Amino acid sequence: MVRTYVRKSQRAKTYTHDQLLEAMNEVKLGRRTVAQDSRIYAIPINTLIDHIKGRRGKLSSTFGRPTALTLQDESKLADYLRKLEKHGFGLSRREVMDLVGEYVNSNKIKTPFKDGIPHKDWLTAFMRRQNLSVKKPENIEIARRKSIDPFLINQYFILLKETVDKLGIADKPQLIWNLDETSFCSDPSKTKVVGKKGAKSTRTTAGPGRENTTVLFACSASGVKAPPLIIFKGKQLWTHMISDSAYPGTTYAATPNGWMQSADVFERYIEGAFVQAIGSERPVLLVYDGHVTHISLAVIEKAENAGITILKLPPHSSHVLQPLDLSVMKAIKNKWDPDLVKWQRKNIGVKLPKAEFSKMIGQIWNDIPPLIITNGFRKAGIFPIDNSVIPEDMYDPEALKRWKNSSNEEQAVTESSAAIPSTSHDVPANSFGKPLVKETVATEHPVAIPSTSHIVPVTPFEEQLVEEPSTSFEDLLLSRIKRGSTEKPKRKRICEGAEIITSEEVKQKLIEQEESKKREKRKKKTKKGNEDENENESLHEDQHTEIEFADSSGDEDLISMIEQSNQLEMDTRFHEKRVEDREIGDWVLVQFCTKKTKKHYVGEITSLGLEPLIRFLRKKKTLPSATVFVAPSAEDVSEVLDSSIIAILPPPTAGRRGEYIFPVLFDSYQIE
């Protein structure tokens, strides 16, 4: 059958479905004959007889042949595909056809499919019947999907409204600002070209490398734009990077990778450009994401001094709550790509100069209409404040269910205490008196069915017993999805959602963090100095003892002492005493783990408290049946964990020059 088939016959269009049912009823009741009803309703005699005897309308409600799968199976499959797409795990065309093939073969369903797997023509007709389409999904991190939590979003909007009311700027959009950065590639990637069909298309570039440049934009809810910050890749900022034709007041910076990798760059921009761009009217509310470079004690202090209150968005929510991400960035990128193509076409083989980049960014930023900016603040629910801007299908389903249950419980408690009938039935209301999620009329997509003018439903005497398949679509789809089990290090989040980072609590928290970092640096520096000192002393001792033991008489004395020690210890390598029974004066083997290796030290327990205090020795040399240690000139004493002690050693024999001779060979350990 051709793919673009158009029906030419008018058969079965001369009568309606109601007329067919009425004619069948008249014949069954014996009021008229089949021939009489055929003439009255213009229904073919054979069609009327087939429907009365149950030979029509069982397998298909269309004009043509029955579908390979029943309409019930197709509806179930379409419903599961919509749910997978909603949760971010949509299937490709090939995967859908393989899924249907597996379903057909598992349940031994007779179909016209080759090897049970449908052709792409079947898939096209199936999508047309079920109102489905093929689309390219947008990549969203699972952290972003999970972060769209109604509890966090509600907390953010409550904090936003309280802050706006406290500052008295609810009707002053020029005092509500947002800033965000984005990256621009030096090679166009989105613009398509027109060319010969079936031939490969290429684009000539200046070189193989793709350089990215970061640009920070800021704008207000009234559509006012602040000068951008351009961050080039490099160690120094040079005059050839700056353009006189850039946006007025543009600021520049240079970092090794072209990213905003330190808070110093952001701090200088806030102090040097942003404060001047927002004017003299105060107070000002600045909303942005919680990137690590945006939150520092210096930035908070400068913002407070300038009369700026900073509201940090909840983590991983900028794609639904940040105005610049919702509308402005897309408009900028859509203009940047074709402008870059035009420039390259007029400058073949030339790499885009940094000054030209600044000029192009300035022109694009200047051409952005204020309406696009104000639409971004409206979509984000910031101005005007609207906590229902996020549709229900964007929330995490489990979190949304918990939210509704908790809201309904709170609402029931409030109604029982106040005895006031509620006006909200389906969607819980938050503290604003508005629903947090948008109320939708229909949550499921309608299934496309043919016109009722030719549908013949299965009447009671035509019903059949449908056998349940042994393998369902749900089982097959669940086998294709599995949650990862990657282990992550334990960590504690400082803030669960949105917060005012210019508050005293956040400032105190940042001060404590900086002090903790300084203490850690001092500890590392002190520890490194001690290790270097001990290493130098150990090297000095090694050199000194090498000279003293140059004659053979010293070695003979050591060997004789070792033989006596071996006779006393009965050739025992380690002490029979357990580590748990350690006492003061015991010699132990201690293990220290680094990032790559494990190191072992020998020492004597000098004290037993919460943690054992051990005086460590340094290895001097290894003899055929013993190991010789010496004490460092600077006493090395430190506390160790109980788990670091791995063995009790036999008591050493004292040498004539203060050596400690252990009748043990530490072949399997890295002794220091």
Side-chain angles (χ1 to χ4, degrees):
M1 184 176 179
V2 295
R3 298 177 183 173
T4 57
Y5 174 77
V6 178
R7 184 178 178 84
K8 300 179 178 63
S9 172
Q10 297 299 318
R11 180 174 58 87
K13 291 188 177 182
T14 58
Y15 57 90
T16 65
H17 171 60
D18 295 336
Q19 289 175 337
L20 176 61
L21 293 179
E22 185 178 352
M24 292 170 57
N25 189 45
E26 293 291 334
V27 173
K28 292 175 183 178
L29 295 176
R31 296 175 181 175
R32 282 192 294 267
T33 63
V34 174
Q36 291 174 340
D37 278 347
S38 176
R39 288 192 300 270
I40 294 174
Y41 296 105
I43 302 175
I45 293 179
N46 292 336
T47 300
L48 193 56
I49 293 174
D50 288 342
H51 277 285
I52 292 173
K53 293 186 176 182
R55 293 197 293 259
R56 295 276 186 93
K58 289 183 178 181
L59 302 178
S60 175
S61 59
T62 61
F63 291 144
R65 70 180 65 179
T67 56
L69 299 179
T70 64
L71 292 179
Q72 183 182 6
D73 286 344
E74 286 194 353
S75 299
K76 286 183 179 180
L77 175 61
D79 185 48
Y80 291 139
L81 292 177
R82 294 188 189 101
K83 289 181 178 178
L84 282 176
E85 180 203 7
K86 175 181 177 181
H87 296 295
F89 303 101
L91 301 183
S92 64
R93 282 177 288 195
R94 182 73 262 171
E95 288 175 323
V96 173
M97 290 188 288
D98 291 342
L99 175 67
V100 173
E102 188 175 351
Y103 176 78
V104 169
N105 293 328
S106 299
N107 296 288
K108 299 180 180 180
I109 301 175
K110 293 183 179 180
T111 62
F113 304 149
K114 183 179 179 180
D115 297 329
I117 301 177
H119 192 261
K120 59 183 179 180
D121 290 338
W122 175 89
L123 181 63
T124 302
F126 165 73
M127 291 192 299
R128 184 173 60 250
R129 288 191 296 268
Q130 301 297 333
N131 195 25
L132 300 173
S133 64
V134 178
K135 60 191 76 174
K136 184 178 180 180
E138 180 183 358
N139 294 331
I140 297 181
E141 300 175 9
I142 189 170
R144 288 186 177 272
R145 182 170 291 276
K146 288 291 184 182
S147 67
I148 307 303
D149 190 314
F151 293 94
L152 295 179
I153 299 300
N154 181 55
Q155 178 193 6
Y156 159 72
F157 277 108
I158 291 175
L159 183 59
L160 173 64
K161 190 174 189 310
E162 290 177 352
T163 306
V164 169
D165 293 342
K166 181 180 178 181
L167 298 177
I169 57 175
D171 57 346
K172 298 178 180 180
Q174 71 277 10
L175 300 180
I176 303 176
W177 287 76
N178 175 233
L179 61 81
D180 189 27
E181 63 268 10
T182 187
S183 179
F184 291 88
C185 183
S186 59
D187 287 338
S189 57
K190 294 183 179 180
T191 304
K192 297 181 180 180
V193 297
V194 179
K196 182 179 179 181
K197 188 175 182 180
K200 186 178 180 180
S201 179
T202 60
R203 176 180 284 114
T204 303
T205 60
R210 300 181 63 184
E211 185 174 333
N212 289 290
T213 304
T214 302
V215 182
L216 184 143
F217 298 99
C219 55
S220 71
S222 61
V224 177
K225 291 170 278 190
L229 166 64
I230 301 177
I231 306 174
F232 292 114
K233 181 180 180 181
K235 294 183 178 180
Q236 301 292 337
L237 192 63
W238 302 89
T239 54
H240 70 273
M241 301 179 179
I242 301 173
S243 173
D244 296 334
S245 303
Y247 192 89
T250 300
T251 54
Y252 303 84
T255 60
N257 52 16
W259 306 337
M260 188 175 290
Q261 60 183 15
S262 65
D264 297 338
V265 177
F266 186 72
E267 176 189 341
R268 291 196 296 269
Y269 171 76
I270 292 293
E271 183 181 18
F274 182 76
V275 174
Q276 284 74 19
I278 61 178
S280 57
E281 190 176 0
R282 295 292 186 273
V284 170
L285 175 63
L286 176 59
V287 182
Y288 57 65
D289 57 62
H291 192 269
V292 64
T293 59
H294 296 170
I295 302 175
S296 68
L297 191 59
V299 170
I300 293 174
E301 290 176 350
K302 293 183 185 304
E304 277 190 326
N305 296 334
I308 300 173
T309 300
I310 301 176
L311 173 60
K312 182 179 72 68
L313 294 172
H316 307 291
S317 63
S318 59
H319 63 294
V320 294
L321 294 178
Q322 183 141 256
L324 281 166
D325 281 345
L326 288 174
S327 64
V328 182
M329 293 303 185
K330 182 179 180 181
I332 294 175
K333 293 294 181 71
N334 289 342
K335 190 75 170 60
W336 164 256
D337 214 65
D339 285 0
L340 183 59
V341 171
K342 292 178 184 178
W343 187 90
Q344 289 183 343
R345 195 177 294 122
K346 294 180 181 179
N347 300 270
I348 299 176
V350 180
K351 186 178 179 180
L352 180 67
K354 290 181 170 57
E356 188 66 25
F357 175 89
S358 304
K359 177 183 175 181
M360 294 173 63
I361 289 295
Q363 292 175 349
I364 294 173
W365 184 231
N366 185 66
D367 294 341
I368 295 296
L371 181 61
I372 292 180
I373 298 176
T374 56
N375 284 341
F377 280 86
R378 178 181 53 80
K379 286 182 179 180
I382 294 178
F383 188 87
I385 297 178
D386 182 10
N387 60 348
S388 63
V389 291
I390 302 178
E392 184 175 346
D393 56 2
M394 291 194 68
Y395 287 103
D396 179 60
E398 297 179 0
L400 181 62
K401 185 178 179 180
R402 294 195 306 271
W403 161 262
K404 288 186 175 182
N405 293 336
S406 64
S407 299
N408 290 334
E409 291 175 1
E410 293 177 2
Q411 184 178 353
V413 172
T414 305
E415 289 177 356
S416 61
S417 61
I420 300 176
S422 174
T423 58
S424 176
H425 301 286
D426 298 327
V427 182
N430 61 8
S431 59
F432 299 166
K434 294 182 181 179
L436 178 63
V437 295
K438 286 188 175 180
E439 190 172 2
T440 55
V441 177
T443 57
E444 298 294 336
H445 295 274
V447 179
I449 56 176
S451 173
T452 56
S453 60
H454 58 272
I455 294 180
V456 182
V458 179
T459 55
F461 64 88
E462 294 172 329
E463 289 182 353
Q464 295 178 335
L465 294 176
V466 181
E467 184 179 355
E468 285 294 329
S470 59
T471 305
S472 65
F473 282 118
E474 185 178 8
D475 297 333
L476 297 175
L477 289 170
L478 288 176
S479 64
R480 285 166 164 77
I481 301 176
K482 184 178 180 181
R483 182 179 292 274
S485 59
T486 56
E487 295 183 358
K488 294 184 178 180
K490 294 182 179 180
R491 56 182 183 178
K492 183 179 180 181
R493 176 176 289 178
I494 298 175
C495 177
E496 293 292 336
E499 63 177 345
I500 302 295
I501 66 173
T502 49
S503 62
E504 290 297 328
E505 293 81 0
V506 177
K507 283 180 60 179
Q508 187 62 31
K509 198 182 300 180
L510 292 174
I511 292 173
E512 293 176 357
Q513 289 178 2
E514 291 194 0
E515 290 179 352
S516 176
K517 289 180 180 179
K518 291 179 180 178
R519 286 195 299 269
E520 290 295 330
K521 287 182 179 179
R522 287 196 296 267
K523 286 183 179 179
K524 289 181 180 179
K525 188 175 180 180
T526 304
K527 184 176 181 181
K528 184 177 180 182
N530 294 336
E531 289 179 353
D532 293 341
E533 182 181 353
N534 293 333
E535 184 177 356
N536 294 333
E537 292 171 354
S538 177
L539 290 173
H540 178 71
E541 289 287 336
D542 289 344
Q543 294 173 358
H544 183 65
T545 51
E546 288 282 347
I547 297 173
E548 290 184 354
F549 282 87
D551 59 320
S552 60
S553 61
D555 288 342
E556 291 176 357
D557 294 337
L558 283 175
I559 292 173
S560 63
M561 292 180 184
I562 290 167
E563 290 176 351
Q564 295 175 6
S565 178
N566 287 341
Q567 293 175 1
L568 293 174
E569 292 299 328
M570 301 295 292
D571 296 330
T572 302
R573 181 181 178 122
F574 291 106
H575 205 284
E576 297 179 355
K577 191 175 184 179
R578 296 186 305 172
V579 175
E580 294 80 3
D581 301 328
R582 60 184 177 273
E583 299 174 351
I584 296 176
D586 286 345
W587 293 89
V588 293
L589 181 64
V590 183
Q591 174 177 283
F592 292 92
C593 298
T594 62
K595 291 183 178 179
K596 297 181 179 179
T597 60
K598 295 180 180 179
K599 296 183 178 182
H600 300 82
Y601 295 84
V602 171
E604 180 185 17
I605 299 177
T606 60
S607 175
L608 288 175
L610 295 178
E611 294 178 347
L613 187 67
I614 298 179
R615 178 175 63 89
F616 290 100
L617 303 178
R618 292 291 181 269
K619 178 183 173 183
K620 179 181 177 182
K621 62 192 303 184
T622 301
L623 296 176
S625 59
T627 308
V628 181
F629 290 82
V630 294
S633 58
E635 189 176 20
D636 185 6
V637 179
S638 64
E639 294 181 346
V640 300
L641 299 175
D642 293 337
S643 57
S644 300
I645 301 175
I646 60 175
I648 303 291
L649 299 177
T653 303
R656 291 189 303 174
R657 297 177 178 85
E659 302 92 349
Y660 296 84
I661 306 168
F662 289 84
V664 175
L665 292 178
F666 302 90
D667 296 333
S668 58
Y669 298 101
Q670 185 177 352
I671 300 296
E672 296 292 326

